[in-house]
C-alpha cells in the first residue's frame, strides 16, 4: 500500500546537485546527464522517469535525445528541472525552476507560492477542485517584471509587467506503485471536480505558470516514453506474435528490454541509447503505433514566452500530511 512510500532523502540532495550544475553556458545535455548520474550513485536503479530540462516556453517533458541539437543555457533563459527517484516502484516526483535574470524572479515566486498554496489546501477529505482554486487564486494575482510587447515589438504601456497565467491544461496527479499517473488529476484552476483526496494516497502537487497563453500543445522531437499500463492497452503477447509474423526482431527485442528494465516507469531515448539500443528509433516508433508504448512529446506554450514549474510529492498518512520532497532549499 501507499504506506510503503519511500524515504525522500534523495530528492533534496539531487535538487542541490542540479542547482549547482545549472550554469550559464552549460549544455542542456550535460545538465540532464549529470542530474541522472547523481541519481544513480547509490547503485540502485533510481529512475522514476527521465530528467526533464525544459527551457523557456517549453513547460515540460523535454530532455536531450541522442544526436539531437545541443542547447546552451543563456543568462535570459528559464530552466525547469523535473526529476524523480524511485524505490521498489514508489516514485518521488519533484521539480524546480532556475533563472539567472532577475526579471524572472516574480514569475518563479508566483509559481512556487502557488505550489505551496496547493500543498496547504491538500488533505484527506479535500476535493481536487478546491486545490485548483487555491493554486489559481495565488498564481494569477501576481505580475512579472517582464513588459508586454505588441506584434511589432514595441513595449505596451502598463503599471505592471505581464500577469502570470496558470497553465490550465497541466495538472498534478496521484501516484501508485509503478504508476506515476494513477487516475486522479490535481487541477491548477478552480473547477467543479468533487473527487475527494483519501487517506493513504500519494500526490504530486505541481503547478506551472506562464507569461504566454497559459495553455500548452505538443511539440516535436519526443524524448519521453512509457509502457502503456492502461487496462485497455493491447495484449503484449498478441503484439509480439504480430511482430514475429512481420519479422520485426528489433521491435521484439526492444519491447522485451523495456518490460524488463523499465517496467511501467517512463524512460527516454537517451537511456535506450546508453543501454545498448543505438539504432532504436524505428523500432520504438513501431511500438508506439501498435499502442504498447505511449509517447509524451514536449509541452509548449507560445514561442517567446517564459514558463516556470515547482512541484512536491505529498503523502496523506494516518498521522497527517507529509511533504516527502521537502528540503532546506525548497
Amino acid at each position: 500500500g501507499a504506506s510503503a512510500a519511500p524515504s525522500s532523502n534523495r530528492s533534496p540532495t539531487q535538487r542541490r546537485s542540479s542547482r549547482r550544475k545549472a550554469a550559464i553556458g552549460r549544455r542542456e545535455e550535460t545538465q540532464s546527464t549529470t542530474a541522472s548520474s547523481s541519481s544513480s550513485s547509490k547503485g540502485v536503479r533510481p529512475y522514476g522517469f527521465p530528467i526533464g530540462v525544459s527551457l523557456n516556453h517549453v513547460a515540460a517533458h523535454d530532455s536531450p535525445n541522442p544526436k539531437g541539437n545541443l542547447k546552451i543555457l543563456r543568462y535570459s533563459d528559464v530552466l525547469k528541472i523535473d526529476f524523480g527517484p524511485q524505490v521498489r516502484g514508489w516514485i518521488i516526483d519533484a521539480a524546480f525552476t532556475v533563472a539567472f535574470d532577475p526579471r524572472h524572479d516574480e514569475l518563479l515566486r508566483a509559481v512556487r507560492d502557488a505550489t505551496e498554496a496547493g500543498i496547504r489546501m491538500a488533505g484527506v477529505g479535500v476535493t481536487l477542485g478546491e486545490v485548483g482554486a487555491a493554486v489559481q487564486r495565488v498564481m494569477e494575482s501576481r505580475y512579472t517584471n517582464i513588459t508586454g510587447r505588441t506584434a511589432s515589438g514595441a513595449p505596451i504601456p502598463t503599471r505592471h509587467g505581464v500577469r502570470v497565467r496558470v497553465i490550465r491544461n497541466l495538472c498534478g496527479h496521484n501516484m501508485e506503485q509503478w504508476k506515476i499517473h494513477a487516475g486522479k488529476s490535481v487541477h491548477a484552476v478552480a473547477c467543479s471536480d468533487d473527487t475527494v483526496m483519501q487517506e493513504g494516497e500519494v500526490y504530486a502537487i505541481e503547478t506551472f505558470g506562464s507569461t504566454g497563453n497559459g495553455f500548452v500543445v505538443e511539440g516535436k522531437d519526443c524524448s519521453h516514453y512509457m509502457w502503456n499500463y492502461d487496462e485497455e492497452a493491447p495484449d503484449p503477447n498478441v503484439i509480439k506474435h504480430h511482430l514475429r509474423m512481420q519479422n520485426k526482431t528489433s521491435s521484439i527485442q526492444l519491447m522485451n528490454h523495456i518490460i524488463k528494465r523499465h517496467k511501467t516507469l517512463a524512460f527516454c531515448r537517451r537511456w535506450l541509447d546508453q543501454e545498448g539500443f543505438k539504432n532504436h528509433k524505428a523500432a520504438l516508433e513501431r511500438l508506439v503505433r501498435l499502442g504498447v508504448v505511449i509517447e509524451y512529446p514536449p509541452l509548449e506554450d507560445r514561442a517567446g514566452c517564459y514558463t516556470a514549474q515547482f512541484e512536491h510529492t505529498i503523502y496523506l498518512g494516518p498521522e497527517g500530511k507529509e511533504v516527502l520532497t521537502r528540503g532546506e532549499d525548497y
Side-chain angles (χ1 to χ4, degrees):
S3 60
S7 167
S8 60
N9 291 345
R10 291 182 188 173
S11 180
T13 301
Q14 285 178 290
R15 195 161 56 231
R16 287 192 297 271
S17 175
S18 297
R19 284 185 189 278
R20 287 195 301 268
K21 291 168 181 174
I24 301 168
R26 194 177 187 94
R27 296 187 303 176
E28 186 184 47
E29 179 184 37
T30 305
Q31 176 64 37
S32 179
T33 302
T34 52
S36 296
S37 298
S38 65
S39 300
S40 58
S41 61
K42 303 297 183 183
V44 180
R45 187 170 82 83
Y47 310 115
F49 54 88
I51 304 294
V53 281
S54 305
L55 282 176
N56 301 329
H57 71 287
V58 181
H61 294 175
D62 201 10
S63 190
N65 276 325
K67 303 176 183 177
N69 293 328
L70 293 178
K71 298 175 184 176
I72 306 298
L73 195 57
R74 302 169 302 176
Y75 176 76
S76 60
D77 285 336
V78 177
L79 172 67
K80 280 74 63 185
I81 299 179
D82 193 350
F83 66 101
Q86 66 88 11
V87 178
R88 298 185 301 278
W90 288 106
I91 305 163
I92 291 292
D93 196 353
F96 62 98
T97 301
V98 175
F100 308 99
D101 189 335
R103 291 188 310 149
H104 301 309
D105 287 353
E106 293 305 316
L107 171 63
L108 272 61
R109 187 174 292 112
V111 180
R112 181 169 173 168
D113 289 351
T115 296
E116 296 293 350
I119 292 170
R120 286 194 299 273
M121 177 59 69
V124 176
V126 176
T127 70
L128 300 179
E130 289 174 325
V131 177
V135 168
Q136 185 176 26
R137 186 164 51 247
V138 170
M139 194 183 304
E140 295 197 340
S141 67
R142 307 295 183 82
Y143 291 84
T144 71
N145 296 328
I146 298 172
T147 304
R149 293 184 177 274
T150 66
S152 64
I156 298 174
T158 177
R159 263 181 54 202
H160 303 286
V162 173
R163 184 178 182 179
V164 180
R165 294 183 177 179
V166 173
I167 299 183
R168 58 189 180 276
N169 60 332
L170 290 179
C171 300
H173 46 92
N174 71 317
M175 297 182 287
E176 296 175 357
Q177 191 173 24
W178 300 109
K179 294 182 178 181
I180 192 167
H181 295 147
K184 292 185 177 181
S185 296
V186 185
H187 306 282
V189 293
C191 65
S192 59
D193 189 344
D194 60 359
T195 304
V196 174
M197 292 178 149
Q198 298 177 345
E199 183 180 314
E201 290 182 323
V202 177
Y203 283 91
I205 306 295
E206 61 180 320
T207 71
F208 295 82
S210 174
T211 63
N213 298 325
F215 190 88
V216 292
V217 297
E218 292 183 350
K220 299 179 180 179
D221 196 23
C222 182
S223 60
H224 285 47
Y225 296 82
M226 189 165 63
W227 184 259
N228 186 355
Y229 54 74
D230 189 87
E231 291 181 359
E232 299 180 2
D235 185 333
N237 293 319
V238 173
I239 297 301
K240 285 183 183 180
H241 177 73
H242 171 78
L243 292 170
R244 287 192 194 99
M245 295 294 291
Q246 293 191 338
N247 198 29
K248 300 297 183 183
T249 307
S250 61
S251 291
I252 295 173
Q253 291 174 339
L254 181 60
M255 184 175 172
N256 289 336
H257 174 77
I258 292 170
I259 293 171
K260 181 179 180 180
R261 180 71 172 90
H262 300 289
K263 302 184 185 296
T264 55
L265 300 179
F267 58 92
C268 63
R269 290 191 53 215
R270 191 179 67 259
W271 291 356
L272 296 180
D273 184 75
Q274 294 168 355
E275 292 159 1
F277 290 83
K278 297 295 183 184
N279 299 303
H280 61 264
K281 189 174 182 181
L284 181 60
E285 289 177 347
R286 189 175 295 112
L287 296 179
V288 170
R289 289 196 299 272
L290 291 172
V292 290
V293 170
I294 302 173
E295 60 181 359
Y296 291 87
L299 300 173
E300 306 175 356
D301 203 327
R302 64 169 174 80
C305 78
Y306 296 98
T307 61
Q309 173 195 16
F310 283 90
E311 177 180 22
H312 273 305
T313 295
I314 66 170
Y315 169 55
L316 304 181
E319 298 181 2
K321 174 172 51 187
E322 181 180 0
V323 183
L324 300 177
T325 46
R326 183 73 75 194
E328 293 179 2
D329 61 325
Y330 165 46

